[in-house]
Amino acid sequence: MTHPLPIETLVRRVARQVRLRRAEHAGVRGAFWGAAAAALLLVFRSPLGAVALALAAGLVAAGVLAGVAWGLARRVGARDAARVADRAFALDDRVATVLEWAERPDRTPLVDALVADTLARVEALEPRRMVERVSPREARWLPVPVLAGLVLLLAPPVPMPAGGLPDFLPSRGDEEREERSASTLLEERTRPLAKEPLKRAMLEERDFAQRAGASGAASAGDLAAIFKDTSLSGQRPDFNSFLKKGDERLKLLENVDRLPDLQSDFTSTTYKMVFRKSKALSSGLRPDQISPQKLRELLDEMERLGRKGGTWGGDAAEGMEALEGGETDKALQAMQKALDKMRAMDEAQRSGKGLRGGRERDRGARGRDRGRGEGVGPEDQDFGDTDGLLPGTGRSPLAKGEATARLRARPYDVGVEGESRRGRKDGYDTNLTGRGGTMGSRLQYLGVVGQYRKQMEDAIAREQIPREYHDQIKEYFQALDER
Amino acid sequence: MGQEERAREFVGAFQALRAEVEKVIVGHGEIITHVLTGMFAGGHILLEGVPGLGKTLLIKTLAEGLELSFSRIQFTPDLMPADIVGTNIIVEDADGRKHFQFQHGPIFAHILLADEINRATPKTQSALLEGMQEGAVTVGGASRPLPAPFFVLATQNPIEMEGTYPLPEAQLDRFFFKLRVRYPALEELNAIIDRTTQARQVAVNRVLSGPTVLGFRELIREVPIASHVRDFASAIVMATHPQWDQAPEVARRFVRYGASPRGAQALVLGAKVRALAEGRYNVSVDDIKALAAPALRHRIILNFEGEAEGVDTDTLVGQIVESVEAAAVERKEVFLR
């Protein structure tokens, strides 16, 4: 079956319009470039004479003709024309489908219905412009070469240089004069600026010290006179240390990475995201019901994040190994460990401990100082790793430390004292001091409560605990905090 | 009867069935259309929405409008696969001899309503897999065909809710469309209140039989599609894959796995139904665009960044469709755009 005549006619009409529009478009472009060439030619019209005018007109005409010919010569595919017609008349791709399916051997009976339907619609169409006119960029600039050509045409011919070139070389005297003036300028430019004698801080201090000395006579406005009855009167101001400290503070400000990041959104941290994923992965499921693929993806993601500066990468890798060996339980434990570390790092960052520099850098030194009896605040302790916090899991062979004197100040105080423990995994062994120190407990209250709170949150997330109980459980732990 | 006549009959049947469902269901016009589209295309539909939006009622009403057997399974965490497909039981005949007899499960029905499908464990959810894809179930080593047409309409609560088990990707892919049932507008809510709190009962007429539905399914496959429309559908599906060299930036950034070939099939078949239901005999680009979201939203798996950013798959599909369309236009010269 061939395409019905009205459809073919429509497609041909669209193709013709496309070609005409192309010809217009290319014709304008050709006119611009032809006019530009003609204007250039008119600049040199004095040697060419009257021929220049004819040549310029010829160039413009040639540009227009070349563009039009190029636009008309380019073929327009029937399918492209059909799609343009479909869009122009809102025919919902009917014409393009008919054109493609009417001659196919595997055509279905519905194609006949489609052809009939399309034919009826095409016959009812009123002929109108289907392809929009598109102005080329050159159309805006076309007046420029045209006007330039007209101006050049009306103006007297531009004089062209004849014979030899004029002698642009300067005379010897001028040259010397110029050299002299140039050398003067050069000297002025290269002469170093006279250095102003800088007053050093030490000199100023010496002057001040002479005036502010204890033996010197007090003059009006002298600071020593104000502080003469105090211990400060005998002290010399140390400007050097002030300047040094000032310098250090300024340098600190330059290290942007050490300044606290006040603009971070801690509600959508990496830990939160990973925790949410792990919750989604394991909520309400036993270990044997968890998709290993999803668990692997999560561990893989955690390992990737760990490589960017986290300490949990090893645990994630262990988890992946366990998963490869089919040990889902171990993999889940490893994931939990990694999560704990992420949480610890997250909390540390949130409280400002994550800032590089000061505290973190000093931590190693403080750890060494602990052996010499210096007190350690609870904020210096790292609870990220769970080893060593539960009874019997500590591996330190060292004797537990004694309570500090400060903690013994009141016999009813119950405090904690501990020592950091170096090893494959850094840990922290603690002793209970005060009244409870005589008892066998070697656990730190805050650490244990924190750990149980963590387990409680995981249990709420993982196990099917009725929603009504969630708040009660959380309130209980909150009450423990307040005590 | 000519194909043109049959096409007109299809349009009438589609409108009639839609009108019957709308007697009971207020609003959700697009959802009803998509459910009917999926049914006539021979696919299964997953309806997602919070409880109380009328998902189950919509499906029950649809079943009442069809002369087909209907069964409903309420999925619970303790539901077992045998509760769905059936099992062999020992029976004693008149001679006193005992033998196994297959007890058909509720899956042996034309229309199966799997209510709250994500409340059952993945093992039980998977019991539907074979039936949905093959139209048959295997029990005790014997394959038993399901009645034709077989049509699963499942409802699920959003996965963020308590006590839900997300459907595995393999099963999600077997659903032709995933439809999101949204909360009704104020006027619709008023109409729901008026319609459901009064004494009058609405009777739904049966307007279509099983063989008629099967006949329409054959007719739909005959709807022609132009190559540029098919290419557009393929380009959309390919653009959901971040590995594709022409994939848009959103797909590269947020997608882990793109839609499967089943997604492309669903897109084109759904577009054919839509075209025929609107009285057209060919598929247009607009049909593809209209069905991109229901056909692809459940087949795109977001990566970690996508989930962390809370990217909505509907928005993602919309952006992918736009970028594919823009790229197609960009390739054409100015007079053919």
Side-chain angles (χ1 to χ4, degrees):
Chain A
M1 182 182 177
T2 54
H3 311 126
L5 193 61
I7 295 175
E8 276 191 3
T9 310
L10 174 72
V11 171
R12 273 205 300 272
R13 212 168 68 209
V14 172
R16 197 166 52 240
Q17 273 199 26
V18 169
R19 281 210 299 273
L20 279 173
R21 293 282 175 257
R22 271 183 188 157
E24 285 175 13
H25 186 87
V28 173
R29 294 186 70 182
F32 173 81
W33 292 111
L40 195 67
L41 184 76
L42 287 175
V43 172
F44 307 104
R45 80 181 156 115
S46 60
L48 294 171
V51 186
L53 192 62
L55 274 175
L59 276 173
V60 175
V64 173
L65 283 175
V68 170
W70 184 84
L72 290 174
R74 283 192 65 194
R75 286 179 58 82
V76 180
R79 286 187 185 176
D80 286 334
R83 289 170 65 179
V84 173
D86 278 328
R87 264 198 308 278
F89 294 107
L91 288 171
D92 289 326
D93 297 298
R94 283 184 174 89
V95 177
T97 312
V98 166
L99 222 60
E100 187 179 333
W101 276 82
E103 290 177 350
R104 276 175 66 155
D106 59 338
R107 51 180 292 175
T108 59
L110 266 187
V111 175
D112 292 336
L114 172 66
V115 171
D117 176 48
T118 311
L119 200 57
R121 286 169 189 271
V122 167
E123 281 173 345
L125 291 176
E126 288 185 7
R128 63 178 169 88
R129 198 173 68 183
M130 289 164 279
V131 186
E132 293 296 318
R133 179 173 284 122
V134 181
S135 296
R137 197 172 40 196
E138 288 86 347
R140 278 186 298 173
W141 302 104
L142 184 58
V144 176
V146 170
L147 283 174
L150 283 174
V151 167
L152 287 166
L153 198 66
L154 297 173
V158 179
M160 298 303 290
L165 290 166
D167 184 12
F168 291 114
L169 292 172
S171 65
R172 183 69 195 155
D174 293 344
E175 206 174 318
E176 280 176 359
R177 200 163 44 244
E178 278 184 12
E179 264 181 19
R180 259 203 310 277
S181 62
S183 63
T184 316
L185 279 173
L186 203 67
E187 276 175 15
E188 277 180 9
R189 278 180 202 148
T190 53
R191 189 188 303 155
L193 291 168
K195 282 183 183 173
E196 288 184 14
L198 290 173
K199 285 188 177 178
R200 293 180 63 84
M202 289 294 287
L203 293 174
E204 287 187 7
E205 184 190 348
R206 199 173 296 136
D207 295 344
F208 187 76
Q210 282 167 357
R211 285 197 293 115
S215 59
S219 59
D222 196 337
L223 287 173
I226 298 168
F227 296 111
K228 65 180 180 182
D229 293 328
T230 66
S231 59
L232 290 171
S233 63
Q235 285 184 11
R236 292 171 58 183
D238 185 3
F239 280 100
N240 267 339
S241 76
F242 172 76
L243 287 172
K244 195 176 164 192
K245 278 180 187 170
D247 282 352
E248 277 174 2
R249 283 167 194 163
L250 286 173
K251 276 177 196 165
L252 203 64
L253 281 175
E254 284 170 7
N255 295 336
V256 181
D257 56 334
R258 291 187 188 179
L259 295 174
D261 181 9
L262 299 176
Q263 293 181 338
S264 290
D265 179 12
F266 289 110
T267 57
S268 59
T269 57
T270 313
Y271 164 72
K272 292 269 181 197
M273 298 305 157
V274 174
F275 180 72
R276 211 174 296 154
K277 288 274 289 183
S278 73
K279 185 184 163 190
L281 172 73
S282 57
S283 59
L285 295 177
R286 294 194 305 271
D288 58 328
Q289 291 177 327
I290 288 168
S291 158
Q293 175 64 28
K294 284 192 173 176
L295 182 57
R296 188 176 297 113
E297 284 169 8
L298 183 58
L299 287 167
D300 192 31
E301 194 69 46
M302 290 169 86
E303 195 195 7
R304 190 178 66 76
L305 290 168
R307 281 201 298 268
K308 289 182 182 173
T311 55
W312 57 84
D315 290 318
E318 275 178 25
M320 286 180 75
E321 277 176 22
L323 198 64
E324 293 298 331
E327 295 170 308
T328 317
D329 287 348
K330 276 191 178 176
L332 279 172
Q333 281 173 6
M335 182 188 77
Q336 191 57 46
K337 268 189 181 179
L339 263 177
D340 289 343
K341 285 186 178 177
M342 285 182 82
R343 176 191 162 122
M345 182 176 267
D346 182 52
E347 284 175 355
Q349 280 174 347
R350 204 180 306 179
S351 61
K353 285 182 189 175
L355 302 176
R356 279 177 287 160
R359 192 189 293 266
E360 287 295 316
R361 196 173 49 191
D362 295 339
R363 182 165 287 184
R366 279 199 209 178
R368 286 192 296 277
D369 291 338
R370 277 182 200 132
R372 294 195 287 273
E374 287 189 18
V376 179
E379 72 276 9
D380 290 322
Q381 298 163 12
D382 182 10
F383 302 119
D385 198 346
T386 54
D387 278 7
L389 281 174
L390 289 172
T393 56
R395 298 195 197 97
S396 172
L398 300 172
K400 308 303 176 190
E402 289 299 318
T404 60
R406 184 181 62 78
L407 290 169
R408 279 178 180 159
R410 287 178 61 194
Y412 295 103
D413 276 351
V414 177
V416 285
E417 170 61 357
E419 287 181 339
S420 67
R421 173 167 44 78
R422 298 277 168 196
R424 191 170 65 83
K425 291 177 181 176
D426 290 349
Y428 199 78
D429 296 327
T430 56
N431 283 338
L432 197 64
T433 58
R435 263 194 149 186
T438 53
M439 296 169 73
S441 169
R442 294 201 179 281
L443 289 174
Q444 191 192 36
Y445 177 78
L446 285 175
V448 173
V449 171
Q451 200 172 24
Y452 277 101
R453 187 188 296 110
K454 218 182 301 176
Q455 287 176 4
M456 173 272 290
E457 284 172 2
D458 291 348
I460 284 180
R462 187 182 301 156
E463 291 165 22
Q464 289 186 337
I465 297 170
R467 188 173 277 279
E468 297 79 37
Y469 287 104
H470 289 190
D471 289 340
Q472 288 183 26
I473 296 167
K474 283 175 186 166
E475 278 168 14
Y476 170 74
F477 276 89
Q478 205 171 346
L480 290 180
D481 271 350
E482 285 164 6
R483 287 170 101 190
Chain B
M1 190 190 292
Q3 294 296 75
E4 208 172 335
E5 197 72 22
R6 287 193 65 208
R8 271 199 288 273
E9 191 188 331
F10 171 76
V11 175
F14 193 96
Q15 301 295 347
L17 190 56
R18 193 191 149 101
E20 290 301 319
V21 176
E22 283 179 343
K23 277 183 186 174
V24 178
I25 301 294
V26 180
H28 299 316
E30 195 182 37
I31 299 286
I32 296 169
T33 307
H34 284 157
V35 167
L36 297 184
T37 303
M39 187 192 76
F40 283 115
H44 310 287
I45 306 288
L46 177 64
L47 291 158
E48 185 183 275
V50 292
L53 294 184
K55 303 184 291 290
T56 309
L57 182 64
L58 190 153
I59 296 164
K60 278 174 70 179
T61 313
L62 177 69
E64 284 174 28
L66 296 164
E67 289 175 19
L68 298 170
S69 58
F70 170 73
S71 67
R72 171 183 174 164
I73 307 170
Q74 185 68 43
F75 279 64
T76 53
D78 57 351
L79 193 77
M80 298 303 288
D83 298 331
I84 296 173
V85 295
T87 187
N88 286 315
I89 56 170
I90 299 172
V91 291
E92 198 172 325
D93 59 14
D95 305 330
R97 285 184 299 186
K98 291 176 181 171
H99 63 276
F100 281 109
Q101 187 183 4
F102 181 67
Q103 184 73 32
H104 290 83
I107 197 173
F108 287 88
H110 290 103
I111 300 174
L112 176 68
L113 165 55
D115 211 5
E116 296 190 286
I117 191 169
N118 60 338
R119 290 221 179 275
T121 56
K123 183 180 176 182
T124 310
Q125 290 169 357
S126 300
L128 280 174
L129 277 178
E130 189 189 358
M132 287 170 71
Q133 185 61 28
E134 311 295 337
V137 288
T138 307
V139 183
S143 180
R144 297 171 192 279
L146 297 170
F150 176 64
F151 182 39
V152 176
L153 283 155
T155 70
Q156 74 167 3
N157 303 127
I159 54 169
E160 294 82 14
M161 294 191 74
E162 289 286 315
T164 55
Y165 300 86
L167 288 173
E169 283 81 9
Q171 184 153 11
L172 273 177
D173 195 33
R174 279 165 170 77
F175 282 103
F176 193 81
F177 284 162
K178 178 182 171 185
L179 307 176
R180 284 185 177 159
V181 184
R182 301 183 198 284
Y183 203 80
L186 183 67
E187 297 78 23
E188 291 170 349
L189 190 61
N190 286 334
I192 289 169
I193 292 167
D194 290 344
R195 203 176 284 190
T196 54
T197 57
Q198 291 172 3
R200 70 185 173 91
Q201 292 288 320
V202 178
V204 178
N205 301 316
R206 292 180 179 260
V207 291
L208 268 179
S209 66
T212 318
V213 173
L214 290 174
F216 285 149
R217 282 184 181 178
E218 285 173 16
L219 177 72
I220 283 153
R221 288 174 180 269
E222 292 181 9
V223 175
I225 176 170
S227 56
H228 74 274
V229 182
R230 183 204 55 208
D231 293 347
F232 182 61
S234 307
I236 290 173
V237 173
M238 288 301 288
T240 61
H241 292 263
Q243 300 85 7
W244 193 42
D245 55 351
Q246 294 166 37
E249 182 56 32
V250 280
R252 286 175 198 272
R253 191 170 164 207
F254 296 123
V255 178
R256 175 176 290 165
Y257 300 118
S260 65
R262 275 201 196 104
Q265 290 169 349
L267 197 54
V268 171
L269 258 180
K272 286 187 174 188
V273 178
R274 186 178 186 266
L276 208 57
E278 288 185 358
R280 274 184 286 115
Y281 305 105
N282 70 301
V283 180
S284 74
V285 169
D286 288 340
D287 294 326
I288 301 287
K289 282 199 278 188
L291 296 177
L296 302 180
R297 63 164 66 107
H298 56 298
R299 293 184 163 100
I300 292 174
I301 298 168
L302 300 177
N303 61 13
F304 183 77
E305 193 180 351
E307 287 193 15
E309 297 265 332
V311 173
D312 179 37
T313 44
D314 282 12
T315 314
L316 189 71
V317 170
Q319 287 175 346
I320 287 172
V321 170
E322 272 177 23
S323 67
V324 168
E325 199 174 16
V329 168
E330 196 62 35
R331 280 196 292 272
K332 286 278 169 198
E333 67 160 294
V334 67
F335 297 106
L336 299 173
R337 284 177 186 172

